[in-house]
Amino acid sequence: MTKRIRKAVFPVAGLGTRFLPATKSMPKEMLTVIDKPLIYYAVEEAKKSGIEEFIFVTGRGKEAIEDFFDYSYELNAILGKRGNQEDLDAVNALVLDPGQVVYTRQQEPLGLGHAIWCARHLVGNEPFAVLLADDLIVSKKPCLQQMMDFYGTVGGNMAAVMDVPKESTSGYGILDVEGPQKGPLMRARGLVEKPSVDVAPSTTAIIGRYILTPEIFGELEKKHKGAGGEIQITDAFQRMLPSYAFHGCAFEGERFDCGNKAGFLKATLALSLARDDLKNVTLEFMKRIKE
Ligand code: UTP
């Protein structure tokens, strides 16, 4: 039986080049889907899954993220004076308690594996979650919670996975799945980061939710460079096999890749259609532009 997952790491130190020029002076994770920044959805998912400690790996120019999760004294005072309870509730819905949130810096964006390694002292010796804000997941039960429900039985390293079109495998970490799949869990006998279509071992792709064993820090410490010259987390999973099993968890829900423009647009439309105050106006507009 593995330990309970109490801590989550949010790597937010990337450059977000696919959203330039917007991300020149604004963190990608603060891009807003309707009225909440991407990082809000990820932190909300972690909180709903029972996470108690929130560790952000930030970088230069990411201060807006720290301010967002802080108590805004001036704004609260003004809204309070105006008696605007609805806005006050919205502003304070996801303020993290003192001591519940910590920030560390990745000084250079050397890759996701390196960003996670930067959190090693804050995580310590216990399994932990990692959430990438670019992946916005809409589901009944939070995706991370779904993974936690299985993690206790398998341990090792785990990531949320989904089936992707064959021509898209070069954008993901891909599993070489072992044996017949039992339920939503699939064990990997190998993994490869961003394989070209002709060598991809499957179409089962890793997306941005992980539960990791703390032993991964020892592997990341070696700072092996992989695809794109970056320190890739998928390569660490591969090197830790077979001593540390890797499982993909096929979650229930819809994932939007908000790290690219098309995915971001789809998320905005899907969430608008799910809201009473925006559904009709969105549908009417879509009908009009279709004509
Ligand atoms: P991405 O590779 O999607 O983000 O990393 P990016 O590099 O910022 O985006 P592009 O490709 O230039 O547009 C997924 C997550 O990992 C973080 C990013 O901030 C993002 O939330 N990340 C990535 C780091 O924290 N450090 C890194 O070195 C790389």
Side-chain angles (χ1 to χ4, degrees), residues 20-259:
L20 282 170
T23 45
K24 185 180 169 196
S25 61
M26 175 188 178
K28 172 174 74 173
E29 299 78 10
M30 288 301 291
L31 292 176
T32 298
V33 175
I34 304 184
D35 52 10
K36 298 182 189 106
L38 286 174
I39 190 68
Y40 185 106
Y41 295 97
V43 168
E44 187 180 46
E45 180 186 326
K47 214 170 177 190
K48 283 187 178 160
S49 305
I51 291 295
E52 294 162 7
E53 290 184 37
F54 301 79
I55 301 165
F56 289 81
V57 181
T58 74
R60 291 175 69 76
K62 301 280 182 165
E63 296 79 9
I65 297 174
E66 289 188 41
D67 289 340
F68 185 79
F69 289 105
D70 197 8
Y71 180 75
S72 174
Y73 179 77
E74 299 88 344
L75 187 56
N76 274 272
I78 294 167
L79 294 176
K81 235 186 242 166
R82 289 182 186 167
N84 195 336
Q85 196 54 43
E86 205 180 314
D87 284 350
L88 264 175
D89 291 344
V91 162
N92 293 319
L94 211 57
V95 169
L96 298 171
D97 289 340
Q100 203 186 17
V101 52
V102 283
Y103 298 90
T104 187
R105 278 200 177 198
Q106 182 191 29
Q107 288 145 332
E108 274 182 275
L110 299 177
L112 177 59
H114 182 260
I116 294 170
W117 176 77
C118 290
R120 65 199 179 285
H121 297 301
L122 299 165
V123 170
N125 190 27
E126 59 185 282
F128 63 102
V130 176
L131 295 97
L132 305 188
D134 316 37
D135 278 335
L136 195 165
I137 300 174
V138 178
S139 57
K140 277 202 191 98
K141 189 188 237 189
C143 177
L144 181 61
Q145 175 75 67
Q146 295 180 40
M147 295 167 69
M148 285 174 171
D149 290 349
F150 290 107
Y151 187 76
T153 57
V154 290
N157 294 309
M158 180 185 278
V161 294
M162 60 183 274
D163 199 45
V164 297
K166 198 160 172 48
E167 62 277 11
S168 306
T169 49
S170 59
Y172 295 89
I174 301 290
L175 268 65
D176 182 1
V177 182
E178 181 183 304
Q181 185 185 336
K182 285 189 227 102
L185 276 195
M186 48 192 100
R187 196 181 165 109
R189 69 177 149 228
L191 298 111
V192 8
E193 179 65 21
K194 300 192 171 58
S196 55
V197 178
D198 42 323
V199 296
S202 75
T203 51
T204 302
I206 295 177
I207 60 125
R209 298 289 182 275
Y210 308 84
I211 300 179
L212 306 178
T213 176
E215 278 78 13
I216 198 141
F217 292 125
E219 188 53 52
L220 293 171
E221 179 95 34
K222 296 175 191 161
K223 303 204 176 103
H224 286 293
K225 285 191 182 156
E230 293 194 343
I231 299 168
Q232 301 283 2
I233 192 72
T234 313
D235 297 341
F237 299 149
Q238 165 67 31
R239 284 194 302 270
M240 290 174 81
L241 293 174
S243 313
Y244 295 92
F246 180 92
H247 285 89
C249 179
F251 61 99
E252 273 171 25
E254 189 159 9
R255 169 257 190 181
F256 297 95
D257 180 2
C258 294

